[in-house]
Amino acid sequence: MQITKEEILSWGWKDFEPYYASLENQPLSAANVEGWLKDWSTISSIADELYNRLYVAVSTNTADEKAAQQLEDYMCQTYPHLKNAEQKMKQKLLASGLKVKGMEVPLRNMRAEVDLFREENLELEARQEKLNTEHDKVMGAQTVEYRGEQKTVRQMEALLWETDRHVRREGWEKLAFRQLEDREIINQQWVDYMELRRQMAHNADKENFRAYRWQQLRRFDYTPEDCVAFQDAIEEAVVPAVSHLMERRKKALGIAQLRYYDLFVDLSGKPPLTPFKDISELTKKANAVFYQVHPDFGKYFTSMDKEGLLDLANRQNKAAGAYCTQFSYTKRPFIFANAVGIHDDVQSILHESGHAFHAFETFSLPYFQQYAEYALPMEFAEVASMGMEFLALPYLEQKYGGFYEPADSARARVDHIEASLLFWPYMAMVDAFQHWAYENFEEGCNPQKCDEKWGELEARFRPHIDWSGYEEVMKTGWQRKDHIHQVPFYYVEYGLAQLGAVQIWAGAIQDQSRAVSQYRRALALGGTAPLPKLFETAGAEFAFNAQTLKKAVELMTEAINELEKNYRNE
């Protein structure tokens, strides 16, 4: 079957139905199961690409009512039929008892999906998708008038790197108070999310939504208790190291109390890093860096640029954040970002390109169920992205075609490593908040209790930040993390993956070429291996303990100290 992307966007259930009917009616045997699987893969990949293209259209322009309606129509009219059809395919394959090489892990996943499936949840999922669109509209419409111009959230956040503390404070306050204006509508959306998710769990005969989501996310290799242990390990191994760095930051800035708007400014006293002037320069320099890491990565990125698969510029009415998705039938990834000219944009493009390269490396697998986004364990998918951030660090200098002179490259690397250390405690907050909310539904469904819980977590994991006078901004921090609202429980993956990525980096310090080779071998496994095997193949340990974290923290703090010598003694 050969169809164009334009034809895919015109498909509805009437177009899919004959293909699924044919698959359902075809008897399965050892002789034909591989061909049947390839046919199923084709139609599934078209369905997957259709949804992802519709989602991209909405997120790239949240004010596009036509695109929003197309997505809503898909969720209401096509998605339920597709889910039912996919359920029948899984049941048919599982009932056959047939084994296919490389499908052991996907078959394990299918058993969990078949067990969890409830037709009555399809309508709830459609309502949740509509709620996601409404949430994106609220967040995408948040703009601030600053010095005579309308600025997006992302543009205002760029001020956090300004050396003038008055500028940082003014910009941050304007943004924070603007975001507080949406407090009540976000509170109501949260209650709506919680009610929907409780009903989903009830329909699937699960104790609570956490149990439901655990199975939905196919978390076979760790438990909620492991996540709690990881939170404790971060409190033990990372929080003291971060507090030490923040004491040093206060001294360098000459301030008695550290505010949120003091966390990002470079301690060299130099102006913020300006890695690129426009998106074309960002694309060109990122491409050069990827060629240095491995020529194939550069070729992948070049093809995406030529084919219009990069939407990197920040603008009004564009959804917040950054992501990479894939068009599974045409076997191409797509990167979405909100670049405004700061170093964080460089890290974002490195991160999302790691996801894109993961997709490219897996597209050669024979079955969609092995390379689909949902088939890639998220804990390792984030190793692909965070690992690329670290593997690219040696090539940020202009002599490699990158972004910076040597001293600024050292600053950029310090920025990244320090941000990574600061991330672990924040990740623990997001993860702990969600465990609490879904274990204690009545309190978790009460926005005031959510505010109180977030305040407790701030005190536990980020004691270095002084929030006095900004208590309402602090307590509503959970409102400004899209993952909490739109992708529940999807956050611990980043923390686990970062630990894996730092271990890959430790190997790269010893032998960059070997580390890149191990990384690529692990990416190419796609969804065909369990998490511990994926981490091992990449040269890392899948771990939750303080001992492994302490080793990582020690390497990172030593690197910061060494790199700072390069630009402080310049």
Side-chain angles (χ1 to χ4, degrees), residues 380-408:
F380 191 75
E382 297 301 344
V383 173
S385 55
M386 292 182 169
M388 179 53 61
E389 293 181 61
F390 279 100
L391 290 171
L393 286 180
Y395 308 115
L396 296 179
E397 290 187 27
Q398 290 176 353
K399 68 178 180 180
Y400 299 112
F403 299 88
Y404 304 114
E405 294 290 345
D408 281 346

Side-chain angles (χ1 to χ4, degrees), residues 102-160:
M103 285 291 290
E104 296 81 6
V105 171
L107 283 169
R108 177 200 69 180
N109 295 343
M110 285 182 203
R111 292 187 191 97
E113 292 158 4
V114 166
D115 175 70
L116 196 64
F117 178 83
R118 298 292 187 278
E119 189 169 353
E120 57 266 39
N121 276 344
L122 298 179
E123 180 187 352
L124 300 182
E125 290 176 16
R127 287 165 56 188
Q128 182 176 242
E129 188 67 40
K130 183 178 181 181
L131 191 54
N132 285 343
T133 301
E134 292 170 355
H135 185 74
D136 276 342
K137 283 184 180 179
V138 172
M139 305 306 283
Q142 289 178 341
T143 60
V144 172
E145 185 173 330
Y146 179 73
R147 299 188 177 181
E149 295 183 36
Q150 283 296 122
K151 299 286 189 180
T152 65
V153 170
R154 186 67 174 157
Q155 289 168 335
M156 294 302 293
E157 288 174 343
L159 297 176
L160 292 171

Side-chain angles (χ1 to χ4, degrees), residues 249-480:
R249 175 167 285 270
K250 284 196 292 186
K251 291 178 182 177
L253 295 175
I255 54 178
Q257 299 297 330
L258 194 72
R259 299 292 199 168
Y260 182 83
Y261 48 77
D262 297 318
L263 295 180
F264 307 97
V265 61
D266 195 293
L267 300 185
S268 66
K270 296 180 179 179
L273 294 167
T274 53
F276 58 92
K277 295 183 179 67
D278 53 36
I279 297 303
S280 63
E281 187 179 357
L282 168 63
T283 304
K284 178 182 177 181
K285 291 182 175 180
N287 201 17
V289 171
F290 295 136
Y291 267 104
Q292 292 292 334
V293 179
H294 195 282
D296 285 348
F297 295 147
K299 292 174 185 175
Y300 291 153
F301 194 77
T302 296
S303 70
M304 294 181 70
D305 185 27
K306 288 182 177 179
E307 295 174 31
L309 296 167
L310 305 173
D311 186 343
L312 308 182
N314 174 250
R315 58 183 176 270
Q316 192 171 347
N317 294 318
K318 186 176 183 181
Y323 66 76
C324 175
T325 192
Q326 66 185 48
F327 301 143
S328 299
Y329 174 72
T330 51
K331 294 191 174 181
R332 288 292 186 270
F334 175 89
I335 295 177
F336 169 101
N338 276 282
V340 292
I342 60 178
H343 176 66
D344 191 54
D345 297 328
V346 175
Q347 294 303 145
S348 288
I349 198 65
L350 297 177
H351 181 100
E352 301 306 338
S353 295
H355 285 308
F357 302 155
H358 196 184
F360 275 116
E361 294 286 313
T362 64
F363 283 150
S364 60
L365 290 166
Y367 308 118
F368 172 74
Q369 294 78 10
Q370 296 171 321
Y371 68 79
E373 282 181 280
Y374 71 78
L376 308 178
M378 290 189 285
E379 299 81 357
F380 191 75
E382 297 301 344
V383 173
S385 55
M386 292 182 169
M388 179 53 61
E389 293 181 61
F390 279 100
L391 290 171
L393 286 180
Y395 308 115
L396 296 179
E397 290 187 27
Q398 290 176 353
K399 68 178 180 180
Y400 299 112
F403 299 88
Y404 304 114
E405 294 290 345
D408 281 346
S409 175
R411 288 173 61 196
R413 293 166 75 177
V414 168
D415 180 276
H416 174 57
I417 297 167
E418 187 172 289
S420 298
L421 281 167
L422 266 67
F423 172 74
W424 267 315
Y426 179 70
M427 183 285 302
M429 291 169 60
V430 174
D431 192 47
F433 176 86
Q434 296 189 89
H435 283 270
W436 165 82
Y438 291 105
E439 274 193 293
N440 304 278
F441 179 82
E442 296 303 326
E443 290 189 332
C445 204
N446 182 331
Q448 183 177 346
K449 294 293 185 182
C450 290
D451 290 351
E452 292 172 5
K453 185 63 180 180
W454 191 261
E456 292 175 16
L457 293 170
E458 280 282 1
R460 178 184 175 191
F461 289 104
R462 299 203 295 191
H464 51 274
I465 303 177
D466 176 20
W467 290 102
S468 58
Y470 301 109
E471 287 81 2
E472 298 307 307
V473 175
M474 178 271 289
K475 290 190 295 185
T476 54
W478 62 275
Q479 290 197 341
R480 294 180 289 280

Side-chain angles (χ1 to χ4, degrees), residues 9-33:
L9 284 168
S10 71
W11 274 40
W13 172 240
K14 64 179 176 57
D15 302 288
F16 289 101
E17 185 176 17
Y19 295 97
Y20 280 107
S22 175
L23 289 166
E24 186 178 0
N25 293 329
Q26 186 177 349
L28 280 182
S29 67
N32 73 354
V33 67

Side-chain angles (χ1 to χ4, degrees), residues 202-216:
H202 175 75
N203 290 346
D205 306 310
K206 296 300 177 183
E207 176 186 4
N208 54 38
F209 182 73
R210 184 177 72 174
Y212 174 89
R213 187 68 167 148
W214 221 259
Q215 186 167 332
Q216 188 180 45

Side-chain angles (χ1 to χ4, degrees), residues 293-294 297 380 383 387-388 390-391 395 500-523 535-540:
V293 179
H294 195 282
F297 295 147
F380 191 75
V383 173
M388 179 53 61
F390 279 100
L391 290 171
Y395 308 115
V502 173
Q503 293 176 78
I504 290 172
W505 178 48
I509 291 172
Q510 301 301 317
D511 188 335
Q512 174 85 359
S513 178
R514 181 171 181 269
V516 172
S517 295
Q518 289 178 318
Y519 169 81
R520 290 194 72 186
R521 283 198 297 273
L523 298 193
F535 273 69
E536 179 187 352
T537 304

